């Protein structure tokens, strides 16, 4: 994909052609006195289905209300607006979930998703839940939900759906970590919680599988969760804990400079540079800038990854995500450090494409994840 | 063909959104009854009827627009009490009725920007009591205002679709279908406000398509108005040309440092608006001004006047007043490719600057392939660039529209133009007029209107004309970079002082939507993050430093003009 200055002539918004005979309902747009913004919204709506557009726009609007200019966050309203679902030990589509307390001092909860125990007819017993789903090797996916370090929880409806899907897709046990969020809890809390989850999983015998009774653990996450997955994997590599693979979905990275994609896509598909800046400021330590290694792992203050037993990575990038240049630089950085990366670039995908199963992007990316996990089960 | 609007939680993969008709089938197409809850959103925790999705989407965008740029949006939103976020329809509606001070304001947000507390970031934070009053006062805003907005939006969207479909029919050669769609577009125009926004832009495009399908007896797709008058108003009404002149002059000034004899070749003199500033800057430069020669190219004057010479005389007068030795030569040519370098009579030892503002694209022909490979045969552009390089210029300043209006496919060009000119028209509407106060509000309105006529004429050429008649063959900066590089020109980076001065120019003259950006040593000026015009600088001189010329120079007072005819003969003007 050739990027030409700030304007990409290879991907001008495409407007659809009306079929004279069908005269179907048009995708919606908003009324504005500005001609170009109406056209842009029409174009944006061309690349996502209407219900996806409504979902993500709803988040965008709500999140705008929650972020205050002074850097504080309306946590109460956030929790009120977030759609949550309870854990459910009764199988639904062959998947059960239950919450566990991983780290008492920090009140760290995680929601475990697993295939319904075979012994269960209705509600499984607790002992059934803590039994390995299979004697054959199965993956354990430690999942970090997105939300730019500030939003969502492991019991958010959108992430409950996604984790359930991972279970069915990969035959996995998914551990969705309810990590501490910004701005209430800044760096490195989220990473510490991720590390605690990995340590916890290492200590659970029922999560081991195969003849060698090994924990076959993957770290996965979207947006800020992808960033957390990287940093937990880094710590694992430094500590000699083996991670089978990393899955980074639209991972959140950044840096001080403004990349071409940020400038080109600013405000075009739900996300603005301004809101990215706010979230980094909320998460990073006081006084830090975006070249902090948490934000910019391959930047000037980054940690060298050469020689470390860093895991393999599946990096998924959406072509309409404004931070894609950072994500691509991340993949590049891993490669240059000698580590395996599979890059999946979805040209016309926006952020959040993986939240609703209504596009090719969704299904094909799920397939990629399934293949990656399957082939790295070791 | 499956639809991406499926509301059932299905496992069938849908067609990729690359299919350009995927959006046409709505939920109702799939046999789901009216009022069915969207299953996927339900999984995400929201209960919305499929039939309400559009309404909710419109509402979300309204709320977003209302909050954009408002520093106190968050705190103001805190005054609102939220109920049942799962019922997205009701939630959006209640927020809308809480936010809208006046339903009519949302129709014309611009004219009432200061009245609308939510859109004006400079407005004082309303007290909590005031916020509550607002909320209570407008709780009873009837839904009909949102509905009529929706209707107008529908009409606008339909209109855009009709335009694009018409362009598609034109491309396929189906003139009957195109004519029919154009008729429908005209009818649709009647249902939108054509005074501003998308209605106005669509009106211009309907007009342009009409001219294409039913060419008026006079070809060219333009109005009878004097192009120079249109240009002058466009120059006044918005900062694009001023930016071009400013930036180019800066680069020329720097390139001329250390040279006693300089020669500027202007590819399109017009009224010479660019040159007073350069003359004055040269007058003030440390060490004194050089001898400045200006060669201005322009079309022959129709009425026996020598317009070029008149401009030259005015500039000479100015130069005299600031004690800059100045000589002018006019070269009249109907087309740039008829000009030959010997007509400039560049003297040895002169530092040459070639200045081309919105001219080079006129020398392009049809692009050979969709991938953008250039035609095998030499185009006029290659000839001209070759002799430009031959002049060994210290600086070549190039300003071009930042758009791709030369794609082989008509539909592609049409869509590009729709986006480009929409943004251009938006900037005319949205950019505040010049401070300085020497123009009344009414005068400013007239200037803006004529400036629009300038744009309309340009756009018409893109849409209506083909072959030699289509001269507005804009190409993006990256293509120009390649082309100029291949011709042998080397890039000269525009520095941070050019950037800073361009930014300062903007704050002096224009509204808040304009943005200057630096891209690989070039500058672009755009509106709301869409670049619309680019300025770059090049050189083709030898690297040797300029010779110091200590001879006493004859002061040249040759203000003659020469006319070039198509056969390449230089004839003295009458």
């Amino acid at each position: 994909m050739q990027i030409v200055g700030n304007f990409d002539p290879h991907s001008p918004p495409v407007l659809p052609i009306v079929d004279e005979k069908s005269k179907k309902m048009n995708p919606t747009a908003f009324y504005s006195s500005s001609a170009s913004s109406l056209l842009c919204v029409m174009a944006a709506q061309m690349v996502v289905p209407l219900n996806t557009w409504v979902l993500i726009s709803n988040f965008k609007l709500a999140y705008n209300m929650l972020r205050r200019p002074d850097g504080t966050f309306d946590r109460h309203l956030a929790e009120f607006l977030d759609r949550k679902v309870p854990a459910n030990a009764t199988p639904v589509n062959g998947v059960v979930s239950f919450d566990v307390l991983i780290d008492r001092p920090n009140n760290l909860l995680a929601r475990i998703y697993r295939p319904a125990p075979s012994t269960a007819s209705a509600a499984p017993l607790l002992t059934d839940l803590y039994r390995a789903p299979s004697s054959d090797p199965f993956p354990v996916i430690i999942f970090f939900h997105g939300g730019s370090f500030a939003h969502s929880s492991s019991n958010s409806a959108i992430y409950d759906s996604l984790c359930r899907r991972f279970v069915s897709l990969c035959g996995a046990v998914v551990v969705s970590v309810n990590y501490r969020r910004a701005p209430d809890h800044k760096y490195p809390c989220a990473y510490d919680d991720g590390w605690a989850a990995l340590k916890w999983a290492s200590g659970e015998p029922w999560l081991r599988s195969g003849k060698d009774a090994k924990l076959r653990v993957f770290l996965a996450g979207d947006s800020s969760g992808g960033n957390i997955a990287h940093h937990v994997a880094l710590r694992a590599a430094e500590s000699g804990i083996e991670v089978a693979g990393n899955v980074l979905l639209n991972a959140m990275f950044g840096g001080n400079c403004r990349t071409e994609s940020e400038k080109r896509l600013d405000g075009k598909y739900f996300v603005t540079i301004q809101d990215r800046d706010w979230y980094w400021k909320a998460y990073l330590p006081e006084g830090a800038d975006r070249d902090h290694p948490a934000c910019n792992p391959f930047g000037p203050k980054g940690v060298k990854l050469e020689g470390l037993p860093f895991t393999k990575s599946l990096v998924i990038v959406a072509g309409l995500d404004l931070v894609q240049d950072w994500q691509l630089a991340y993949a590049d950085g891993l490669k240059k450090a000698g580590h395996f990366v599979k890059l999946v670039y979805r040209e016309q995908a926006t952020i959040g494409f993986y939240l609703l199963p209504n596009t090719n992007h969704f299904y094909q990316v799920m397939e990629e994840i399934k293949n990656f996990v399957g082939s790295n089960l070791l | 063909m499956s639809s991406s609007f499926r509301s059932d939680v299905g496992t069938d993969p849908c067609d990729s959104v690359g299919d350009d008709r995927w959006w046409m089938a709505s939920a109702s197409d799939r046999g789901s009854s009216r009022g069915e809850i969207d299953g996927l959103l339900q999984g995400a925790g929201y209960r919305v009827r499929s039939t309400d999705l559009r309404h909710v989407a419109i509402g979300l965008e309204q709320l977003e627009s209302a909050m954009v740029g408002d520093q106190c949006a968050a705190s103001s939103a805190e005054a609102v009490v939220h109920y049942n976020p799962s019922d997205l329809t009701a939630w959006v509606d209640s927020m809308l009725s809480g936010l809208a001070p006046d339903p009519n304001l949302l129709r014309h947000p611009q004219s009432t920007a200061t009245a609308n507390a939510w859109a004006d970031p400079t407005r004082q934070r309303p007290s909590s009591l005031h916020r509550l009053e607002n909320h209570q006062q407008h709780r009873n805003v009837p839904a009909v205002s949102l509905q009529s907005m929706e209707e107008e939006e529908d009409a606008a969207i339909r209109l855009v679709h009709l335009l694009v479909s018409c362009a598609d029919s034109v491309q396929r050669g189906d003139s009957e279908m195109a004519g029919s769609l154009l008729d429908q577009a005209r009818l649709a125009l009647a249902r939108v406000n054509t005074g501003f926004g998308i209605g106005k832009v669509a009106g211009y495009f309907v007009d342009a398509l009409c001219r294409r399908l039913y060419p008026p007896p006079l070809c060219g797709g333009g109005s009878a108005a004097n192009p120079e008058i249109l240009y002058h108003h466009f120059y006044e009404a918005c900062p694009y040309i001023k930016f071009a002149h400013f930036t180019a002059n800066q680069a020329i000034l720097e390139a001329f440092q250390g040279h006693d004899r300089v020669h500027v070749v202007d590819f399109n003199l017009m009224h010479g608006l660019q040159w007073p500033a350069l003359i004055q800057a040269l007058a003030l430069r440390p060490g004194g001004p050089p001898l400045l020669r200006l060669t201005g190219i322009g079309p022959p004057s129709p009425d026996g006047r020598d317009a070029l010479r008149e401009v030259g005389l005015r500039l000479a007068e100015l130069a005299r007043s600031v004690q800059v030795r100045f000589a002018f030569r006019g070269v009249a040519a109907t087309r740039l490719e008829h000009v030959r370098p010997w007509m400039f009579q560049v003297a040895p030892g002169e530092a040459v600057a070639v200045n081309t503002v919105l001219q080079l694209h006129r020398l392009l022909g049809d692009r050979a392939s969709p991938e953008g490979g250039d035609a095998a045969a030499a185009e006029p552009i290659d000839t001209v660039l070759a002799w430009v390089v031959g002049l060994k210029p210290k600086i070549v300043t190039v300003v071009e529209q930042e758009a791709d209006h030369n794609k082989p496919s008509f539909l592609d060009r049409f869509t590009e133009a729709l986006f480009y000119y929409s943004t251009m028209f938006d900037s005319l509407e949205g950019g505040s007029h010049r401070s300085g106060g020497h123009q009344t509000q009414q005068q400013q309105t007239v200037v803006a209107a004529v400036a629009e006529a300038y744009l309309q004429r340009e756009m018409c050429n893109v849409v209506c004309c083909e072959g030699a008649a289509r001269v507005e063959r804009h190409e993006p900066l990256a293509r120009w970079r390649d082309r100029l590089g291949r011709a042998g020109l080397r890039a000269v980076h525009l520095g941070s002082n050019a950037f800073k001065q361009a930014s300062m120019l903007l704050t002096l003259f224009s509204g808040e939507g304009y943005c200057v950006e630096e891209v690989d040593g070039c500058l672009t000026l755009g509106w709301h993050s869409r670049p619309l015009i680019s300025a770059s600088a090049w050189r083709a001189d030898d690297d040797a430093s300029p010779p110091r010329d200590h001879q006493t120079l004859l002061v040249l007072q040759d203000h003659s003009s020469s006319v070039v005819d198509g056969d390449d003969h230089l004839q003295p003007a009458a």
Side-chain angles (χ1 to χ4, degrees):
Chain A
M1 187 175 79
Q2 212 185 336
I3 307 299
V4 173
N6 284 342
F7 171 60
D8 185 354
H10 293 282
S11 68
V14 172
L15 296 177
I17 296 142
V18 174
D19 181 319
E20 229 268 286
K21 297 185 190 66
S22 69
K23 286 190 172 59
K24 289 302 177 193
M25 182 179 87
N26 298 314
T28 189
F30 71 105
Y31 178 75
S32 167
S33 64
S34 154
S36 57
S37 39
L38 179 125
L39 290 176
C40 282
V41 172
M42 284 177 73
Q45 291 177 339
M46 292 304 112
V47 297
V48 294
L50 184 55
N51 46 10
T52 303
W53 199 89
V54 164
L55 182 68
I56 304 183
S57 295
N58 164 61
F59 289 151
K60 178 174 80 163
L61 179 72
Y63 294 178
N64 284 349
M65 297 191 306
L66 300 171
R67 296 190 303 273
R68 300 200 192 97
D70 64 357
T72 59
F73 188 79
D74 193 343
R75 181 59 66 192
H76 293 297
L77 185 57
E79 294 305 299
F80 177 80
L81 292 176
D82 189 27
R83 305 293 81 206
K84 301 180 192 295
V85 298
N88 194 353
T90 305
V92 174
N93 290 335
V95 179
V96 301
S97 64
F98 56 101
D99 292 329
V100 301
L101 184 63
I102 284 185
D103 184 33
R104 188 167 291 279
N106 286 325
N107 243 348
L108 181 63
L109 290 167
R111 179 164 291 179
I112 317 291
Y113 300 84
R114 52 156 297 152
S118 43
T119 53
S121 49
L125 301 171
L126 201 60
T127 46
D128 298 324
L129 294 176
Y130 280 90
R131 191 171 297 132
S134 155
S135 54
D136 293 329
F138 63 88
V140 174
I141 301 176
I142 301 187
F143 178 74
F144 304 101
H145 65 81
S148 309
F149 294 103
H151 300 280
S152 295
S153 311
S154 55
N155 60 350
S156 295
I158 47 171
Y159 289 113
D160 188 84
S161 301
L162 188 58
C163 289
R164 284 172 173 274
R165 190 168 285 269
F166 285 156
V167 172
S168 311
L169 195 66
C170 307
V173 172
V174 176
V175 180
S176 181
V177 183
N178 200 40
Y179 58 89
R180 284 169 290 166
R181 296 163 302 186
D184 335 27
H185 300 103
K186 286 172 162 299
Y187 166 93
C189 292
Y191 301 159
D192 290 343
D193 290 352
W195 179 246
L198 182 56
K199 296 291 290 296
W200 173 83
S202 309
E204 294 291 300
W206 65 283
L207 292 179
R208 295 169 178 275
S209 57
K211 292 191 174 59
D212 47 357
K214 200 168 74 158
L215 173 70
R216 290 153 158 80
V217 66
F218 293 79
L219 301 173
D222 71 310
S223 170
S224 52
N227 178 291
I228 297 170
H230 164 78
H231 286 284
V232 175
L234 178 57
R235 201 160 157 184
E238 287 165 342
S239 315
I241 294 189
E242 188 187 347
V243 171
N246 267 11
V247 178
L248 269 61
L249 253 175
N250 294 6
M252 186 170 159
F253 294 113
N256 279 347
C257 74
R258 302 301 190 197
T259 60
E260 187 278 332
S261 67
E262 282 166 306
K263 291 189 271 193
R264 175 169 49 94
L265 293 168
D266 188 15
K268 295 270 182 344
Y269 295 98
F270 313 112
V271 185
T272 64
I273 292 179
Q274 196 181 36
D275 70 60
R276 293 299 97 199
D277 286 353
W278 190 98
Y279 290 116
W280 282 120
K281 193 146 193 285
Y283 177 65
L284 294 171
E286 206 67 50
D289 63 18
R290 290 187 304 274
D291 278 342
H292 188 283
C295 175
N296 194 358
F298 290 104
K301 303 179 194 157
V303 170
K304 292 276 171 276
L305 255 56
E306 283 88 341
L308 281 175
F310 193 85
T311 187
K312 298 184 179 152
S313 301
L314 173 66
V315 177
I316 298 144
V317 179
L320 298 175
D321 184 347
L322 86 170
V323 299
Q324 64 187 268
D325 282 352
W326 293 111
Q327 295 159 347
L328 295 170
Y330 171 80
D332 211 46
L334 283 180
K335 258 187 259 182
K336 288 201 169 78
H339 300 295
F340 176 88
V341 175
K342 170 141 199 224
L343 176 68
V344 173
Y345 187 89
R346 304 295 305 190
E347 197 164 315
Q348 288 285 292
T350 63
I351 55 143
F353 72 87
Y354 44 83
L355 294 177
L356 296 183
N358 55 7
T359 57
N360 258 357
H361 299 303
F362 180 93
Y363 289 103
Q364 287 171 6
V365 166
M366 288 300 141
E367 211 43 42
E368 294 277 1
I369 294 174
K370 176 181 172 179
N371 293 340
F372 179 78
V373 170
S375 55
N376 287 300
L377 209 40
L378 306 158
Chain B
M1 175 182 53
S2 55
S3 160
S4 295
F5 283 148
R6 288 179 77 117
S7 57
D8 51 308
V9 185
T11 53
D12 304 325
C14 307
D15 281 355
S16 160
V17 295
D19 179 338
D20 65 0
R21 280 176 164 73
W22 63 261
W23 56 270
M24 284 164 32
S26 65
S28 55
D29 226 18
R30 312 302 302 167
S32 55
S33 57
R34 293 195 148 270
E36 186 178 285
I37 301 286
D38 183 285
L40 296 187
L41 287 182
Q42 190 171 29
Y46 298 98
R47 292 179 62 80
V48 186
R49 291 199 179 84
S50 325
T51 44
D52 282 342
L53 281 175
R54 235 179 82 239
H55 169 89
V56 171
I58 290 171
L60 285 170
E61 269 305 319
Q62 286 295 336
L63 288 167
E64 170 79 18
S65 303
M67 284 177 157
V68 162
D70 184 5
Q71 295 298 315
C72 44
S75 61
S76 306
E78 279 179 65
V80 176
V81 181
H82 300 271
Y83 296 96
N84 194 4
S86 281
D87 185 351
L88 208 43
T89 315
W91 183 71
V92 166
D93 283 344
S94 75
M95 300 224 353
L96 274 172
S97 58
L99 282 178
D102 179 339
N104 291 320
L105 291 183
L106 284 168
R107 293 180 74 87
H108 307 283
Q110 263 183 299
S111 57
T112 54
T114 50
N116 185 342
W118 301 95
D120 184 357
T122 62
R123 193 179 162 112
Q124 287 298 315
R125 277 178 105 145
S127 68
S128 47
L129 184 62
H130 179 70
R131 282 203 296 276
L132 210 53
E133 278 176 353
N134 257 348
H135 179 69
Q136 288 174 339
Q137 187 183 347
H138 301 107
R139 196 181 294 151
N140 296 323
V141 164
V144 72
S145 64
L146 184 57
Q147 192 181 353
S148 57
M149 263 190 280
E150 285 183 40
E151 283 169 4
E152 178 136 1
E153 286 183 45
D154 271 1
I157 296 163
R158 203 169 305 127
L159 183 49
V160 171
H161 285 314
L162 284 169
L163 283 175
V164 176
S165 307
C166 181
D168 177 59
S169 307
V170 166
Q171 163 146 303
R172 285 184 287 106
D174 187 348
S175 36
E176 207 185 301
M177 171 71 93
S180 154
L181 288 166
L182 200 52
D183 288 339
Q184 292 178 54
R186 285 199 174 290
L187 289 174
L189 259 183
R191 299 188 54 208
V192 298
N193 191 324
T194 52
F196 60 92
I198 191 67
K200 174 161 70 175
V201 175
Y204 287 138
F205 276 87
V206 165
D207 204 54
L209 280 170
C210 201
R211 283 175 189 275
R212 188 182 175 103
L213 287 174
Y214 315 114
L218 292 155
C219 286
S223 67
N226 184 325
E228 288 180 6
I229 292 178
L230 297 182
Y231 180 86
H232 204 123
H233 284 77
F234 181 68
Y235 174 90
E236 288 284 325
C238 46
Y240 302 107
I241 308 293
K242 296 188 199 94
F243 161 79
H245 291 175
F246 219 79
T247 310
N249 284 344
Q250 179 68 29
I252 293 171
L253 204 57
E254 286 174 19
F256 279 171
Q257 270 174 22
H259 294 275
D260 296 333
R261 290 178 298 127
V262 302
H263 187 164
V264 176
V265 177
D266 186 1
F267 272 21
N268 187 22
L269 185 70
M270 285 276 193
H271 296 151
L273 290 172
Q274 182 171 351
W275 306 120
L278 182 70
I279 292 170
Q280 284 164 340
L282 287 172
L284 292 173
R285 80 170 187 180
L291 165 64
L292 169 66
R293 286 181 58 201
L294 174 66
T295 301
I297 303 171
S301 314
D303 46 3
R305 288 166 46 226
D306 189 343
L308 291 171
R309 185 160 179 272
E310 285 172 18
V311 174
L313 284 172
R314 279 206 306 275
L315 291 172
E317 187 58 49
L318 169 66
R320 197 186 351 261
S321 75
V322 294
Q323 285 143 31
V324 174
R325 290 163 300 150
F326 178 81
F328 175 83
R329 171 182 289 264
V331 174
T334 43
R335 292 185 82 102
L336 210 45
E337 51 261 47
H338 296 158
V339 174
R340 291 288 176 275
W342 54 263
M343 297 162 192
F344 311 140
Q345 299 196 337
V346 173
E350 265 182 351
V352 174
V354 175
N355 183 77
T356 148
V357 175
L358 308 180
Q359 295 305 303
L360 287 187
H361 59 258
R362 295 165 180 273
L363 299 167
L364 297 175
D366 289 334
R367 211 179 289 169
S369 68
E371 288 76 48
D374 298 318
E379 299 177 286
I381 181 73
D382 301 311
T383 317
V384 171
L385 286 180
W387 61 247
V388 167
V389 170
L391 291 174
K392 294 201 193 301
K394 292 273 175 290
I395 196 89
V396 180
T397 45
V398 177
V399 175
E400 282 290 324
Q401 289 90 341
E402 184 61 6
D404 200 347
H405 293 149
N406 201 25
K407 289 186 168 167
S409 144
F410 173 72
L411 180 59
D412 285 346
R413 287 204 303 278
F414 185 85
T415 315
E416 296 271 343
L418 193 56
F419 277 87
Y420 180 82
Y421 289 102
S422 290
T423 314
M424 265 292 185
F425 282 113
D426 281 346
S427 76
L428 275 185
E429 272 172 31
S432 66
H433 297 292
R434 281 176 61 176
S435 58
H438 67 272
Q439 284 179 329
T440 64
Q441 187 65 37
Q442 196 177 22
Q443 282 173 326
Q444 288 180 10
T445 310
V446 169
V447 169
V450 182
E452 282 185 13
Y454 170 88
L455 287 173
Q456 190 192 5
R457 182 176 234 252
E458 192 180 275
M459 179 270 281
C460 258
N461 188 273
V462 176
V463 170
C464 307
C465 300
E466 293 297 339
R470 180 153 61 91
V471 293
E472 300 295 345
R473 293 177 180 267
H474 314 142
E475 289 196 346
L477 182 57
R479 289 188 66 89
W480 284 113
R481 247 200 266 271
D482 283 344
R483 209 185 273 282
L484 296 169
R486 274 183 277 123
L489 290 164
R490 299 189 321 274
V492 174
H493 284 189
L494 300 170
S496 58
N497 52 345
F499 181 91
K500 200 165 63 171
Q501 291 192 55
S503 304
M504 274 165 32
L505 165 78
L506 286 186
T507 54
L508 276 180
F509 288 114
S510 311
E512 284 187 11
Y514 292 105
C515 53
V516 186
E517 279 167 13
E518 190 272 349
V519 182
D520 270 344
C522 309
L523 292 186
T524 63
L525 172 62
W527 174 258
H528 283 169
S529 81
R530 160 71 207 258
L532 294 169
I533 194 169
S534 73
S536 59
W538 307 81
R539 67 190 300 168
D541 59 337
D542 303 324
D543 275 325
S545 53
R548 303 239 53 111
D549 193 339
H550 296 293
Q551 292 175 340
T552 308
L553 298 164
L554 292 173
V555 177
L556 300 171
Q557 290 289 344
D558 176 11
H559 300 309
S560 66
S561 298
S562 315
V563 179
V564 181
D565 64 28
D567 289 330
D568 207 13
H569 294 127
L570 190 62
Q571 320 212 6

